[in-house]
Amino acid sequence: MNSTASAPYSNAPSFSALTEENALLREQLGAQAEAIRQLTHQLDWFKKQLFGPKSEKQVFDLPEQDSLFQSNEAPVPEKPPEDEKRTIRAYQRGTGKKQRDDDCLNDTGLRFTADVPVEVIEHLPPELTGPDADQYDILGTKTTYRLAQRAASYVVLKCERPMFRRKGAEKPVTTPAPFNVLDNSLADVSLLAGLLVDKFQFHLPLYRQHQRIQQAGITVSRSTLTNLVKRAIDLLRPIVDAQTDNVLRSRVLAMDETPVKAGHQGRAGPHKGKMKTGWFWPLYGDADEVVFTYSNSRGRAHIEQVLNDQFTGTLISDGYAAYARYAQQQEGVTHAQCWVHGRRYFIAAQNDHPEKATEALQQIAKLYRNEEYIRTQQLTGEKKRQYRLEHSQPVVKDFFQWCMDQLEPGGLLPTDPLTKALNYVIAREASLRVFLEDPEVQPDTNHLERALRPIPLGRRNWMFCWTELGAEHLGIIQSLITTCKLHGLNPYTYLVDVLQRISQHPASKVVDLTPRLWKTRFADNPLRALIDPRHTDRQAAQPEATHAH
């Protein structure tokens, strides 16, 4: 009986075998959990790319934002009270009339500046045009406005120039042709400026502009448009060179890099191969001027070549190590780094560590609330510095102490996203503190990233530059267009003026044609194109008459 009872237990696995199997299962479970975590990060990234922008705002910044991009477990701070908004009633009770803002011209809400051309259309009823029109008295005129568009805004200018001869003289005289930017060219300055603005500001590729010209009934080859763009940008190169010199004289300079496809890799055979990756290195000076420099590599050599020992001051950048190494080797250069780039690492760690990552984000948010107060109170100079030292410096001190406490041994794995975020900011503590002592230094490079947005936006349209020279031309025109927008200038008006003015302007004073100085010297009375109704014959025939200053 005892032998039969013990028979089933004789085939049972031993305790050591169960322990070994349990350890193996735990190891497999841990590997699967790590794989799931990595796949979840990848899925979140794809969701952002597919469904919306890579927003860095939090749930409490965008209450209407879907939970797709945020962790449901992340604590949400209390929402600050919203400022009272002015309500506008659609109609005033008892009058039946709409209540409109002061700058609204009519009930349709159409607003426009004085630069917009207005064509007057006289609309008469049959009573005032018939045989009994003299029986009516016109008491007044009621004006309404409509926004209209022509199917194609291309016009062929037919310039008729008389040939004449003085009585009694034998030699005839031909009226000189109106001034044109490009000699013996079919393009008016209005077309040159329009091509540049449409392509580089509004991201309309030349092949689409070419289709629009053809639809208007005009036959021009695409190569002609490409050549016109190249020749026009070559005229603007001295202006950007002068702007670069002024940017390098800045006391505070922001620098970044962004990739662009430029030039072929040069594979043998009928196929030219893939496009190479080049890099734009934009510079943002303290006078709100931007210059896009181009390099075929992302190495530190380009930083040294561009700055070329001309810059002394504070260099603001992201965490790319090339900037830090350059600043270490240069006397008179202080390196400041961007808080927003460090903040992004904590956003990436928020899914795995919602409480700790959110705590770090809230501490960084205190710094930006202080910066917002500085802007609203318009603090500058020593007052701005003292406010940062009194309010932001304690926040920075507590933040870095908190970061060190989180890295205590046994707390986090080296590959953990929160570990990467903590190590990132701790390694850059000295550079992240620079803005506290210098009131002219911003705590981030957001102003530069906003300025370089045309490059990644345009990448969706023109995709690449056929040559590296084309990439340099892209940097030249974007330097001027972006700077125009920073100074509140219309890029089209600016380009129409400087393309005509630069051939007669003294080379020693080319800096006057940079957008920053052009705004004060020529913006009140710019040179116009022939097609512009505000154009005068004196400007067309003698553009140099307006150059004296």
Side-chain angles (χ1 to χ4, degrees):
M1 181 175 179
N2 293 338
S3 61
T4 57
S6 60
Y9 295 97
S10 62
N11 296 328
S14 63
F15 178 78
S16 59
L18 289 174
T19 303
E20 183 178 354
E21 182 180 1
N22 187 28
L24 180 61
L25 292 175
R26 286 180 179 275
E27 183 179 354
Q28 293 177 353
L29 184 60
Q32 292 174 354
E34 177 64 19
I36 292 174
R37 187 185 65 82
Q38 295 180 2
L39 291 175
T40 301
H41 280 296
Q42 294 180 8
L43 181 60
D44 290 340
W45 185 87
F46 282 115
K47 285 179 180 179
K48 291 182 181 181
Q49 301 298 315
L50 183 61
F51 298 117
K54 295 195 296 183
S55 176
E56 296 176 6
K57 295 186 177 181
Q58 301 296 293
V59 176
F60 48 88
D61 295 327
L62 293 175
E64 71 280 1
Q65 184 173 351
D66 188 18
S67 60
L68 175 64
F69 306 122
Q70 300 291 342
S71 172
N72 294 329
E73 301 177 357
V76 180
E78 296 181 0
K79 182 180 178 181
E82 295 183 355
D83 297 335
E84 294 184 0
K85 297 182 179 179
R86 181 172 60 94
T87 58
I88 302 177
R89 292 174 294 177
Y91 290 88
Q92 184 178 7
R93 183 174 300 175
T95 62
K97 296 183 179 179
K98 291 184 178 180
Q99 298 296 304
R100 296 178 278 104
D101 291 341
D102 295 336
D103 60 345
C104 184
L105 290 178
N106 53 27
D107 289 344
T108 61
L110 181 62
R111 301 176 179 87
F112 53 89
T113 63
D115 294 334
V116 178
V118 178
E119 296 185 8
V120 179
I121 298 178
E122 187 177 5
H123 182 67
L124 297 178
E127 290 83 357
L128 298 183
T129 57
D132 298 333
D134 56 350
Q135 300 298 319
Y136 297 91
D137 293 330
I138 299 178
L139 304 179
T141 302
K142 184 175 178 59
T143 303
T144 56
Y145 294 87
R146 294 180 183 177
L147 182 61
Q149 179 183 3
R150 288 189 172 90
S153 56
Y154 298 99
V155 178
V156 175
L157 300 179
K158 181 180 179 181
C159 299
E160 295 182 348
R161 298 175 290 142
M163 298 179 59
F164 58 94
R165 181 175 58 190
R166 186 180 180 88
K167 293 181 179 180
E170 297 182 357
K171 185 176 180 181
V173 179
T174 302
T175 304
F179 174 80
N180 200 16
V181 175
L182 303 178
D183 295 334
N184 301 321
S185 174
L186 57 84
D188 182 64
V189 65
S190 59
L191 178 65
L192 298 177
L195 290 173
L196 296 177
V197 169
D198 284 346
K199 177 176 174 62
F200 298 107
Q201 182 181 2
F202 299 112
H203 312 296
L204 187 64
L206 284 183
Y207 82 89
R208 293 180 185 169
Q209 297 189 52
H210 180 252
Q211 292 173 351
R212 192 169 61 179
I213 293 175
Q214 285 184 320
Q215 188 172 349
I218 304 171
T219 302
V220 179
S221 66
R222 283 177 56 184
S223 60
T224 298
L225 300 183
T226 303
N227 187 46
L228 291 175
V229 169
K230 174 183 176 300
R231 294 176 64 186
I233 293 178
D234 281 335
L235 293 176
L236 301 172
R237 187 186 294 270
I239 301 176
V240 176
D241 291 340
Q243 183 166 293
T244 304
D245 293 338
N246 186 67
V247 168
L248 292 177
R249 285 193 291 268
S250 301
R251 197 178 71 81
V252 179
L253 178 66
M255 192 171 187
D256 203 347
E257 73 286 341
T258 183
V260 63
K261 296 294 184 181
H264 297 284
Q265 292 184 356
R267 188 173 63 188
H271 302 289
K272 296 183 178 181
K274 296 181 179 180
M275 305 297 294
K276 295 187 294 185
T277 298
W279 296 85
F280 278 116
W281 299 72
L283 307 174
Y284 194 116
D286 52 17
D288 288 332
E289 293 177 306
V290 179
V291 175
F292 290 87
T293 61
Y294 174 78
S295 174
N296 56 8
S297 71
R298 199 181 175 217
R300 189 182 67 188
H302 183 74
I303 304 176
E304 298 173 349
Q305 177 183 358
V306 171
L307 301 186
N308 194 23
D309 297 333
Q310 298 183 38
F311 171 71
T312 56
T314 302
L315 177 64
I316 312 175
S317 72
D318 56 16
Y320 183 34
Y323 300 110
R325 289 196 295 266
Y326 170 80
Q328 291 173 356
Q329 297 178 359
Q330 297 294 323
E331 295 183 0
V333 176
T334 303
H335 187 212
Q337 294 205 31
C338 173
W339 276 88
V340 168
H341 283 78
R343 181 178 181 270
R344 292 171 184 170
Y345 281 86
F346 288 103
I347 293 177
Q350 201 169 14
N351 288 335
D352 295 315
H353 301 274
E355 294 184 359
K356 292 184 178 181
T358 302
E359 183 177 354
L361 294 173
Q362 290 178 343
Q363 293 187 54
I364 297 175
K366 294 179 182 179
L367 299 178
Y368 282 90
R369 283 196 291 269
N370 293 339
E371 294 299 313
E372 183 178 1
Y373 178 84
I374 290 174
R375 287 192 297 269
T376 55
Q377 298 298 319
Q378 299 181 354
L379 302 181
T380 58
E382 185 62 23
K383 291 183 179 180
K384 182 177 180 180
R385 175 177 175 271
Q386 288 298 328
Y387 187 87
R388 283 178 171 175
L389 292 177
E390 293 177 7
H391 297 84
S392 296
Q393 190 176 44
V395 176
V396 172
K397 181 180 178 181
D398 294 342
F399 172 77
F400 282 108
Q401 183 60 48
W402 178 87
C403 291
M404 295 297 296
D405 295 340
Q406 307 309 309
L407 287 178
E408 292 182 356
L412 297 170
L413 295 175
T415 58
D416 193 281
L418 183 58
T419 305
K420 295 179 181 179
L422 295 170
N423 288 331
Y424 180 90
V425 295
I426 290 175
R428 295 162 174 81
E429 179 178 357
S431 298
L432 292 172
R433 287 178 175 267
V434 172
F435 84 102
L436 297 172
E437 294 286 349
D438 193 338
E440 303 301 324
V441 175
Q442 300 191 39
D444 53 46
T445 58
N446 282 354
H447 58 301
L448 176 57
E449 292 197 358
R450 287 191 295 268
L452 64 81
R453 284 189 66 192
I455 301 301
L457 285 177
R459 195 183 301 137
R460 295 282 185 174
N461 289 278
W462 56 66
M463 300 302 290
F464 49 77
C465 299
W466 284 109
T467 63
E468 295 183 355
L469 178 61
E472 294 180 7
H473 285 161
L474 171 59
I476 292 173
I477 188 62
Q478 283 295 0
S479 300
L480 296 178
I481 290 179
T482 302
T483 305
C484 280
K485 292 189 291 185
L486 289 174
H487 287 270
L489 300 175
N490 186 333
Y492 177 83
T493 302
Y494 168 79
L495 290 174
V496 167
D497 178 275
V498 298
L499 285 172
Q500 298 179 88
R501 194 182 299 272
I502 193 171
S503 60
Q504 282 82 21
H505 196 80
S508 60
K509 298 181 179 180
V510 68
V511 67
D512 293 342
L513 301 185
T514 59
R516 177 178 61 91
L517 297 180
W518 182 90
K519 180 179 180 179
T520 60
R521 286 167 169 75
F522 306 110
D524 293 338
N525 187 27
L527 300 179
R528 306 287 183 177
L530 286 173
I531 196 174
D532 196 313
R534 293 164 291 186
H535 173 270
T536 62
D537 293 337
R538 179 182 62 84
Q539 288 179 334
Q542 296 180 344
E544 66 274 8
T546 62
H547 295 158
H549 59 276

